[in-house]
Amino acid sequence: MPSASCDSLLDDIEDIVSQEDLKPQDRHFSRKHVVPKVRKRNTQKYLQDENSPPSNSTIPGIQKIWMRTWGCSHNNSDGEYMAGQLAAYGYEITENASDADLWLLNSCTVKNPAEDHFRNSIKKAQEENKKIVLAGCVPQAQPRQDYLKGLSIIGVQQIDRVVEVVEETIKGHSVRLLGQKKNNGKRLGGAPLDLPKIRKNPLIEIISINTGCLNACTYCKTKHARGNLASYPIDELVDRAKQSFQEGVCEIWLTSEDTGAYGRDIGTNLPALLWKLVEVIPRGAMLRLGMTNPPYILEHLEEMGKILNHPRVYAFLHIPVQSASDSVLTEMRREYCVADFKRVVDFLREKVPGITLATDIICGFPGETDQDFQETVKLVEEYKFPSLFINQFYPRPGTPAAKMAQIPAQVKKQRTKDLSRVFHSYSPYDHKIGERQQVLVTEESFDSKFYVAHNRFYEQVLVPKDPTFMGKMIEVDIYESGKHFMKGQPVSDARVYTPSISKPLAKGEVSGLPEPPYCELLCGETHIGRNRGRPPADSS
C-alpha cells in the first residue's frame, strides 16, 4: 500500500521555520513567483517552456488541497481560517478529493463515530497516495496514536501556521506544531482573528470568542484538546465583527466550548461582550449565541434576559442538561443540579417570551439506572424542547468515564430510541400556522428546493427560492409546519430589507486580504488573491 508517511520526522516546525519568519498574511505581497528555469539546449528535444515548472516539481504554493471538517462551529471556523490562508498564499482549495495533491483533515473528538470517520479518511488518503495534514481535536488530544505516526499535525491554537505545515508536508517532511499561544506566559484564545478566511457561507461569520472551558466533565475528550479557558479581548472580537459586516455578512455566530464562561480569565464576562457587539450590528443583521453550560449563565440571568430581547439578537440559547438525574450529573461532574437547569429555563421563558431553548442529553452514561433515565424522559415531556440533541454515550479513551462500569450497548441504544420517540411525539410549531413573521434568509436547503431563513427565535422557516431574497430580511405568512421547520409565503406588498452594509463576498472568495501595495497597483502585477472566487473547502 502506498504510504503518505514522509521520509523524515521533525519534532517541531521550528526546526525548519524560524519564529521570526513572516506569517502567511505578511507574505502575500513579498512572495514572488518561483519558477524553475531549465537551461536551454541546442536541440529542440530539450527545450522547455520557462513559464512552467517541470512535471516532478515539488514547489509549494501551486498544489490543490481538499479539506474536510467534522464537528462543532468552532472547528468549522478553524477550517475556514485555514482554507483562507492557503488560498491567499496560492494553493487551490478544491471540492474534488481525488483531484487534490494534499488532504487537510480537521477532526472532532466528541464521539467515537466522528473519530472513526477521521481515521477512515486518513486510510483512504494513504491508499490514494495523498499528502496529509491533520488538524482539530483528535491529534491535538492524542498525537501519539499509532494511526497518526509519521503524519503532519497542526494544533488547534496554531492554525495561523497552516501554510508552513502544508509547505513542509508537500516537500516530504512530517512536522508537528502543537504548542499553545501565549503572551507574557499567559495563554491566549488562539490564533489572531484577522487572518484571511474562506467562509463556507459568505453571509455567516463564525467567531470563536474563547477556547477551552472551566469544567472537568468526566466524559469529555474535547478538554484534552482545547484545554482550560482562554478568552479573546472584547476589542478584538468587536473589530472582527466590524470587519465581517464590511464584507457583507448579515449573521454572526458566537462559538466556543462554553460561551457562558467567556471572560472569566481576563476580568470580564459574556454580557459585557454582548452589549459591545450589539452596538456594531447593522439594522436587520442578527447575532446568534452559542452553547453555554448552566453554571455560568446562572449569575447573569437578568442581563442575559435583556440581551436576548434585543431586536438584533436571536432569542435562542443552547444550554445542555445532559441528564435530569442529580446522581448522574454528579458522576459527570457537571457542577449543577437539575433544579439549577430548570431555574435557567423557567426564568428565560418568562423574561423572553417565545425563546427557543435547545438542550443536549446523553443516554446510557455509566451508572445511569432506569429511574435516572425516566427522570430525563419526564424533563423532556414537561418542557417539550423544540431542539433536542440526543446522544448515546460513547466512552472516550483517556477520560474518567471510560474507566467506569459501562452500561450494555443494547440498553444505551434502547434508551436513545425511547427518548427519540418522546421527542418526536410533539409538534413545536403547529400553533404558529397563520402567523406573519420577519425572517432573515441565509442559505439553501439540503434538498435545494427552498431557501432557509430564521425568524426572531432562530426557528427554521423555508421560503421560495427567489434569488432576490438571499441575504435579505423579508416578511412571510406561515402556512405549514413540520417537526424541525415551518414554511412561509412571502408577503406580496412587504418590503425586502437588506441588512448588509456592503455586497457579500462571492462564494469561495478570501476575506480579510489587505489592499495591494501602491507599487503593485502601478505595475499591475498583483499576485495575492489570485484564487479569489475558487470554491471553498468541503466542511460538511
Side-chain angles (χ1 to χ4, degrees):
M1 179 189 301
S3 175
S5 299
C6 305
D7 296 332
S8 60
L9 176 64
L10 300 176
D11 289 333
D12 199 286
I13 198 168
E14 276 75 10
D15 293 335
I16 2 173
V17 182
S18 163
Q19 288 276 11
E20 286 72 35
D21 278 359
L22 294 174
K23 299 297 186 293
Q25 65 267 33
D26 300 323
R27 299 191 299 176
H28 297 317
F29 304 115
S30 60
R31 179 173 184 259
K32 305 296 182 183
H33 283 300
V34 181
V35 181
K37 295 186 178 181
V38 180
R39 183 177 299 172
K40 291 186 178 180
R41 308 279 182 173
N42 291 329
T43 58
Q44 187 69 27
K45 178 180 179 180
Y46 296 103
L47 286 178
Q48 182 169 357
D49 182 3
E50 292 186 355
N51 292 322
S52 301
S55 59
N56 64 349
S57 170
T58 55
I59 300 169
I62 62 173
Q63 289 78 16
K64 294 180 180 179
I65 297 176
W66 178 71
M67 291 188 63
R68 177 71 189 273
T69 293
W70 293 267
C72 64
S73 297
H74 198 163
N75 253 26
N76 277 278
S77 178
D78 287 351
E80 292 178 348
Y81 274 125
M82 289 189 284
Q85 293 172 87
L86 291 167
Y89 189 66
Y91 290 102
E92 179 178 345
I93 309 300
T94 179
E95 291 184 330
N96 187 342
S98 61
D99 192 38
D101 302 288
L102 180 144
W103 287 13
L104 201 167
L105 305 175
N106 188 18
S107 61
C108 172
T109 192
V110 172
K111 293 188 286 189
N112 291 13
E115 184 170 351
D116 291 342
H117 288 308
F118 176 61
R119 185 187 297 109
N120 291 337
S121 294
I122 293 173
K123 182 179 179 182
K124 185 175 181 181
Q126 291 170 329
E127 291 172 349
E128 297 186 16
N129 203 28
K130 305 291 186 183
K131 300 288 186 181
I132 307 172
V133 171
L134 307 177
C137 292
V138 172
Q140 179 75 55
Q142 289 184 295
R144 301 186 186 279
Q145 292 187 86
D146 287 342
Y147 72 93
L148 304 180
K149 284 183 178 179
L151 301 179
S152 292
I153 295 174
I154 183 162
V156 295
Q157 284 213 323
Q158 299 292 332
I159 59 172
D160 56 333
R161 305 294 295 278
V162 67
V163 170
E164 286 92 336
V165 175
V166 167
E167 277 187 326
E168 296 305 324
T169 304
I170 292 292
K171 291 175 185 176
H173 300 128
S174 176
V175 295
R176 297 190 169 196
L177 186 59
L178 295 164
Q180 303 294 321
K181 294 288 187 191
K182 293 183 179 180
N183 182 21
N184 295 324
K186 183 174 177 59
R187 187 165 175 263
L188 301 176
L193 294 172
D194 59 352
L195 295 169
K197 183 183 231 189
I198 293 179
R199 297 184 182 95
K200 184 179 179 182
N201 184 336
L203 298 172
I204 297 175
E205 166 70 1
I206 306 171
I207 302 179
S208 303
I209 63 175
N210 57 266
T211 191
C213 68
L214 294 173
N215 285 15
C217 301
T218 55
Y219 56 81
C220 182
K221 187 72 175 177
T222 304
K223 181 67 177 274
H224 295 195
R226 298 283 183 178
N228 290 322
L229 179 69
S231 306
Y232 286 97
I234 288 179
D235 57 349
E236 290 185 25
L237 295 166
V238 172
D239 286 345
R240 181 63 194 179
K242 288 179 180 178
Q243 178 188 333
S244 303
F245 292 127
Q246 289 166 357
E247 293 172 342
V249 162
C250 61
E251 187 171 289
I252 283 184
W253 298 356
L254 300 186
T255 185
S256 76
E257 284 64 59
D258 187 350
T259 59
Y262 169 80
R264 284 173 170 248
D265 57 316
I266 58 174
T268 186
N269 56 55
L270 181 61
L273 168 64
L274 296 177
W275 285 125
K276 288 293 184 182
L277 283 172
V278 296
E279 292 177 4
V280 302
I281 300 175
R283 180 187 170 199
M286 297 297 291
L287 174 69
R288 192 195 81 173
L289 301 184
M291 186 274 288
T292 176
N293 283 312
Y296 307 112
I297 198 71
L298 274 168
E299 64 188 70
H300 301 308
L301 278 180
E302 289 285 349
E303 285 298 292
M304 291 303 298
K306 295 174 184 176
I307 290 166
L308 291 168
N309 274 306
H310 194 283
R312 297 176 195 179
V313 178
Y314 284 117
F316 167 88
L317 202 58
H318 178 191
I319 314 171
V321 64
Q322 305 301 8
S323 173
S325 163
D326 284 342
S327 62
V328 173
L329 291 176
T330 299
E331 290 299 308
M332 292 179 172
R333 291 188 199 156
R334 289 292 287 169
E335 300 182 6
Y336 60 86
C337 61
V338 179
D340 292 332
F341 175 79
K342 288 185 174 183
R343 179 185 165 201
V344 172
V345 174
D346 292 342
F347 180 90
L348 291 177
R349 284 189 171 183
E350 177 187 354
K351 298 297 183 180
V352 191
I355 187 174
T356 296
L357 293 174
T359 196
D360 298 359
I361 288 173
I362 296 174
C363 294
F365 186 82
E368 181 187 65
T369 66
D370 287 338
Q371 181 58 38
D372 292 330
F373 176 68
Q374 288 306 314
E375 291 299 320
T376 300
V377 170
K378 290 177 184 176
L379 182 78
V380 174
E381 290 175 335
E382 177 182 357
Y383 285 95
K384 294 183 169 54
F385 301 101
S387 182
L388 180 64
F389 302 95
I390 302 170
N391 303 287
Q392 178 181 318
F393 173 75
Y394 291 97
R396 302 296 291 130
T399 62
K403 301 175 184 178
M404 299 176 181
Q406 303 296 307
I407 289 177
Q410 62 269 25
V411 175
K412 293 191 290 186
K413 290 180 181 178
Q414 187 59 51
R415 288 177 182 174
T416 302
K417 289 180 181 179
D418 290 346
L419 191 59
S420 297
R421 191 178 303 114
V422 173
F423 173 61
H424 286 281
S425 68
Y426 56 86
S427 301
Y429 305 127
D430 285 355
H431 67 285
K432 298 199 172 188
I433 293 177
E435 287 186 2
R436 178 162 294 187
Q437 299 182 356
Q438 196 169 52
V439 298
L440 179 59
V441 184
T442 55
E443 55 191 318
E444 187 176 73
S445 62
F446 286 119
D447 61 9
S448 299
K449 295 180 180 179
F450 299 92
Y451 280 161
V452 178
H454 291 92
N455 62 17
R456 167 88 179 84
F457 308 105
Y458 202 70
E459 295 164 336
Q460 185 170 267
V461 180
L462 305 180
V463 301
K465 284 182 66 176
D466 183 338
T468 63
F469 293 160
M470 186 57 72
K472 308 293 195 305
M473 188 82 76
I474 65 174
E475 272 193 324
V476 298
D477 290 326
I478 303 300
Y479 66 90
E480 185 180 329
S481 71
K483 178 62 180 176
H484 303 285
F485 65 89
M486 291 170 275
K487 289 183 180 179
Q489 181 62 42
V491 178
S492 58
D493 58 346
R495 178 188 175 194
V496 175
Y497 182 74
T498 304
S500 301
I501 60 176
S502 61
K503 184 178 179 181
L505 300 179
K507 187 173 177 63
E509 188 172 359
V510 182
S511 81
L513 294 181
E515 292 299 320
Y518 181 67
C519 61
E520 291 193 358
L521 292 174
L522 290 177
C523 70
E525 294 183 358
T526 304
H527 304 307
I528 139 166
R530 55 196 174 96
N531 288 324
R532 290 163 80 98
R534 285 181 176 160
D538 177 4
S539 300
S540 59

